[in-house]
């Protein structure tokens, strides 16, 4: 363990144990952020080099997608050594330097722990599959075939096909909710839980401030291996898997969302307690996502917050939809905490997904900073990057290759970050060929170009983040009096004596709304406006407005 990092980190964290509540977290996808060694793939030194840029956005933390040793079948979400850095990304010393630089810049570091499954190349699985009697025989989910030889249950893999694969050595099936090469760890086995808690401690001792917990609701499966019931067509939605995926045609009662997960979360929370770190769980469930978020974040002994999929979905949210989601989360997670995002490394970039004009992207950025919950920004969304069109021959994502062409996979949101317009690879790499092509249409949006353009979205992101930081009510306050007037969404954020009235026109035509009684003054308006009357106000299309009572904080 690098004690100097760990010790300085503890002092740093001791300052605000509640830092995660309302934090703005910048997601870095390491393969595509910055290549430092010229091999066409991003790496940890590249990230460290670009941290001053991330800090300049005003965010509180970074979440770094997996950089652990991995055969990269799912680009790092298939870990073969939880305690080391894949050589393609660098070394543990590079990671320590990254943490130190981040902390020096005032940024917390959250890393992505993929505990639900490992790679099939992890020594634990290699041992587990050797025979039925070894010390780790029960570390993964093994089950006999049904009498007719078919898999033990009807569970499906999100990435296509059955969730069970036959292993000819053990003459048993093993479970994998994702790729065949991502066997599911058996959380019913106490030794597995202990080993995973040790992994968490290993990184906490190295100075990390928290974890994004991959697929947290997949940790435990039904020990009786009961079949999932079918889901009627009218109940299906595609927030976590594309509509063409049969995974969407089952109700996932037994393969995930099992109550035993809570026991493990309690242990993880108590392990992270002395470090003042934060747990951000990813909850993927198209039907019950918010309810599960409520369950997993209730009280103060489970996850601190959970990552919600509701604003990652296909349809552009209008005022009514945002209100519905916020009211829903208030109902089912009154005692919990959500983390919102519009884009990430798994979904089509929202500028494209929602066909947003630049004003729409601005409005949504401000809205994200005014919602109750923490917020994740995915690298490049601050530049307005659109989904890249990756040709079939360049595809890397096995998920896209499986469901092409109805679903093109996740490569279009994972193409490299663009730093400089003058360089053919956007300053991402000196290699002739990056692992995924840089989208030519992204070059004009490179950071360097945006910095020099006062109208660039980048400056608006900084503005919106600064607004949140300047007003505790936006980061940590209550959200009350939600109302929808046509295309205008309004709510109050309150904390102590601070009362902010937030109004957003999520449509492209002007809309007049009545203001609450009293005198209100403008805290922030984008585009700028002046008040002409005290009773009503007309918001232009895609205009946002944050107000406070005259003379208020
Ligand atoms: C990650 C994906 C990954 C999957 C399996 C997720 O939800 O975000 O990128 O493929 O878990 O680990």
């Amino acid at each position: 363990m690098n004690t100097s990092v760990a010790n300085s980190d503890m002092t740093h964290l001791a300052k605000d144990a509640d830092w995660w509540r309302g934090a703005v977290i910048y997601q870095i996808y390491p393969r595509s952020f910055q290549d430092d060694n010229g091999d066409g793939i991003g790496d940890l030194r590249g990230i460290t080099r670009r941290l001053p840029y991330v800090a300049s956005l005003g965010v509180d933390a970074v979440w770094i997608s997996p950089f652990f040793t991995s055969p990269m079948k799912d680009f790092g979400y298939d870990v073969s050594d939880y305690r080391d850095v894949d050589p393609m990304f660098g070394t543990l010393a590079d990671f320590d330097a990254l943490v130190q630089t981040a902390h020096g810049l005032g940024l917390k570091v959250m890393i992505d722990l993929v505990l639900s499954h490992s790679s099939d190349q992890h020594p634990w699985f290699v041992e587990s599959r050797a025979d039925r009697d070894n010390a780790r025989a029960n570390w993964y989910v093994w089950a006999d075939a049904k009498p007719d030889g078919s898999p033990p249950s009807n569970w499906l893999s999100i990435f296509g096909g059955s969730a069970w694969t036959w292993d000819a050595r053990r003459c048993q099936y093993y479970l994998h909710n994702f790729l065949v090469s991502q066997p599911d760890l058996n959380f019913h086995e106490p030794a597995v839980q202990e080993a995973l808690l040790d992994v968490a401690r290993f990184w906490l001792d190295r100075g990390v401030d928290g974890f994004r917990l991959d697929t947290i609701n997949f940790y435990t499966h039904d020990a009786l291996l009961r079949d999932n019931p079918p889901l009627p067509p009218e109940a299906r939605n595609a927030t976590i898997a594309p509509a063409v995926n049969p995974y969407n045609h089952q109700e996932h009662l037994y393969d995930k969302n099992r109550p035993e997960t809570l026991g493990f979360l309690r242990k993880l929370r108590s392990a992270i307690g002395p470090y003042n770190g934060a747990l951000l769980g990813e909850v993927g469930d198209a039907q019950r996502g918010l309810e599960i978020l409520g369950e997993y974040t209730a009280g103060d002994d489970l996850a601190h917050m959970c990552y919600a999929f509701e604003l990652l979905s296909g349809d552009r949210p209008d005022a009514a939809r945002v209100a519905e989601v916020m009211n829903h989360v208030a109902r089912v997670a009154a005692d919990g905490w959500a983390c919102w995002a519009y884009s990430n490394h798994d979904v089509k970039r929202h500028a494209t997904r929602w066909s947003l004009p630049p004003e729409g992207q601005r409005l949504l950025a401000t809205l994200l900073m005014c919602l109750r919950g923490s917020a994740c920004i995915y690298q490049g969304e601050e530049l307005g990057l659109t989904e890249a069109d990756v040709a079939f021959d360049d595809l890397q994502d096995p998920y896209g290759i499986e469901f092409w062409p109805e679903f093109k996979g996740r490569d279009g949101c994972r193409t490299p970050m663009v730093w400089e317009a003058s360089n053919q690879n956007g300053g991402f790499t000196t290699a002739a060929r990056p692992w995924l092509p840089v989208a030519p249409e992204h070059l004009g949006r490179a950071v360097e170009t945006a910095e020099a353009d006062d109208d660039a979205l980048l400056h608006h992101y900084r503005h919106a983040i600064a607004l949140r930081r300047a007003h505790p009510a936006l980061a940590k306050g209550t959200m009350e009096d939600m109302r929808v007037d046509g295309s205008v969404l309004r709510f109050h954020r309150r904390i102590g004596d601070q009362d902010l009235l937030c109004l957003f026109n999520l449509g492209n035509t002007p809309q007049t709304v009545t203001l609450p009684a009293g005198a209100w003054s403008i805290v922030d308006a984008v585009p700028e406006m002046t008040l002409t009357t005290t009773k009503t106000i007309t918001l232009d299309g895609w205009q946002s407005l944050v107000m406070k009572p005259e003379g208020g904080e």
Side-chain angles (χ1 to χ4, degrees):
M1 162 180 131
N2 179 337
T3 34
S4 63
V5 170
N7 291 341
S8 65
D9 189 49
M10 299 299 278
T11 329
H12 167 75
L13 287 174
K15 287 184 194 149
D16 176 14
D18 214 30
W19 64 266
W20 54 271
R21 194 183 290 279
V24 183
I25 303 163
Y26 187 85
Q27 184 193 351
I28 294 177
Y29 192 69
R31 293 182 76 87
S32 298
F33 199 56
Q34 175 68 62
D35 175 19
D36 187 69
N37 66 358
D39 65 356
I41 301 171
D43 44 43
L44 296 182
R45 284 177 181 226
I47 295 174
T48 305
R49 169 141 63 97
R50 295 298 185 182
L51 283 178
Y53 164 76
V54 177
S56 81
L57 300 174
V59 301
D60 303 283
V62 288
W63 144 26
I64 309 175
S65 282
F67 49 80
F68 316 101
T69 316
S70 164
M72 301 289 161
K73 296 278 167 36
D74 191 20
F75 300 105
Y77 284 91
D78 49 329
V79 179
S80 55
D81 184 350
Y82 285 106
R83 294 161 184 254
D84 209 349
V85 172
D86 193 279
M88 118 187 348
F89 293 128
T91 62
L92 281 170
D94 292 335
F95 181 73
D96 293 340
L98 185 158
V99 171
Q100 234 154 2
T101 305
H103 287 171
L105 290 162
L107 292 168
K108 312 280 185 196
V109 177
M110 303 184 77
I111 62 169
D112 207 328
L113 281 193
V114 190
L115 304 182
S116 188
H117 45 265
S118 72
S119 155
D120 61 352
Q121 294 181 32
H122 196 294
W124 296 342
F125 187 70
V126 173
E127 187 177 344
S128 189
R129 82 185 323 182
D131 54 51
R132 297 187 186 199
D133 308 309
N134 66 77
R136 296 205 164 83
N138 199 30
W139 278 41
Y140 291 82
V141 184
W142 294 99
D144 292 334
K146 284 186 173 166
D148 66 356
S150 62
S153 72
N154 70 352
W155 302 348
L156 295 174
S157 154
I158 293 196
F159 288 162
S162 169
W164 295 100
T165 286
W166 180 251
D167 183 81
R169 275 175 224 120
R170 282 185 56 145
C171 287
Q172 280 187 311
Y173 283 96
Y174 69 87
L175 179 68
H176 52 87
N177 291 299
F178 297 89
L179 295 173
V180 171
S181 58
Q182 290 171 300
D184 206 58
L185 278 152
N186 181 13
F187 277 68
H188 292 290
E189 169 61 55
V192 166
Q193 296 200 12
E194 281 315 309
L196 296 175
L197 292 168
D198 277 349
V199 167
R201 287 188 203 102
F202 173 85
W203 291 103
L204 289 164
D205 284 340
R206 283 207 105 81
V208 308
D209 305 295
F211 303 117
R212 181 264 191 187
L213 298 169
D214 190 61
T215 58
I216 191 179
N217 57 320
F218 289 69
Y219 284 174
T220 32
H221 63 283
D222 175 40
L224 300 176
L225 309 183
R226 282 170 283 189
D227 279 347
N228 284 326
L231 192 66
E234 64 280 6
R236 293 174 195 162
N237 76 53
T239 47
I240 75 152
V244 288
N245 191 338
Y247 187 85
N248 263 324
H249 302 187
Q250 287 188 352
E251 190 177 356
H252 294 278
L253 291 185
Y254 298 115
D255 51 347
K256 60 181 184 183
N257 305 333
R258 303 305 300 163
E260 295 92 338
T261 294
L262 294 174
F264 179 71
L265 290 181
R266 275 190 197 101
K267 291 185 196 164
L268 198 50
R269 176 72 175 248
S270 91
I272 205 172
Y275 299 84
N276 282 345
L279 300 175
L280 165 59
E282 181 203 28
V283 174
D285 189 86
Q287 277 69 46
R288 292 188 46 238
L290 290 180
E291 281 86 345
I292 298 168
L293 178 154
E295 262 172 51
Y296 288 6
T297 58
D300 56 9
D301 64 346
L302 298 166
H304 296 78
M305 49 187 168
C306 277
Y307 190 81
F309 279 63
E310 276 58 29
L311 302 180
L312 290 163
S313 63
D315 297 330
R316 181 204 285 174
D318 58 12
R321 173 66 183 153
V322 178
E324 180 189 315
V325 171
M326 294 301 137
N327 287 330
H328 190 174
V329 84
R331 255 193 337 272
V332 297
D335 189 23
W337 198 256
C339 181
W340 306 107
Y342 300 144
S343 282
N344 66 23
H345 65 296
D346 288 332
V347 298
K348 199 181 263 185
R349 286 186 175 275
H350 72 273
T352 303
R353 199 170 81 237
W354 296 336
S355 312
L356 286 169
E359 317 80 77
Q361 291 178 48
R362 270 192 252 284
L363 178 287
L364 283 170
T366 312
L367 174 64
L368 188 61
M369 292 305 123
C370 292
L371 293 179
R372 181 168 190 264
S374 301
C376 286
I377 294 173
Y378 178 52
Q379 64 182 47
E381 79 171 70
E382 76 280 14
L383 305 174
L385 296 191
T386 48
E387 181 79 356
D389 197 14
V390 180
F392 185 77
D393 286 347
D394 288 327
L395 276 199
Q396 302 283 334
D397 183 13
Y399 195 8
I401 294 167
E402 172 77 23
F403 288 102
W404 178 278
E406 282 92 347
F407 170 63
K408 295 182 174 176
R410 303 166 294 178
D411 293 320
C413 64
R414 296 176 176 181
T415 60
M417 188 63 183
V418 279
W419 301 98
E420 298 147 25
S422 53
N423 178 300
Q424 66 153 358
N425 285 322
F428 164 69
T429 182
T430 51
R433 213 178 140 81
W435 78 284
L436 274 176
V438 173
E441 67 277 16
H442 287 179
L443 289 176
R445 297 181 175 277
V447 171
E448 193 183 59
T449 314
E451 293 287 13
D453 172 4
D454 287 347
D455 289 334
L457 186 64
L458 172 60
H459 303 294
H460 177 74
Y461 265 76
R462 288 197 177 111
H463 173 87
I465 295 166
L467 176 71
R468 183 180 183 107
R469 283 196 118 164
H471 298 280
L474 294 181
K476 300 187 197 289
T478 59
M479 188 178 212
E480 296 167 44
D481 306 332
M482 180 86 58
R483 234 176 98 164
V484 175
D485 296 305
S487 59
V488 173
L489 172 72
R490 78 152 76 159
F491 49 79
H492 286 258
R493 300 294 314 273
R494 297 187 177 111
I495 200 167
D497 291 338
Q498 195 171 76
D499 177 7
L500 296 181
L501 169 63
C502 306
L503 299 123
F504 301 90
N505 186 355
L506 282 105
N508 55 9
T509 51
Q511 171 101 28
T512 301
V513 295
T514 310
L515 289 174
W520 294 85
S521 63
I522 295 180
V523 173
D524 185 71
V526 181
E528 283 180 14
M529 72 186 314
T530 38
L531 282 183
T532 46
T533 70
T534 53
K535 295 211 163 62
T536 63
I537 197 155
T538 300
L539 287 144
D540 271 343
W542 299 118
Q543 187 164 40
S544 68
L545 187 57
V546 176
M547 308 181 85
K548 63 176 186 176
E550 198 79 66
E553 282 179 33

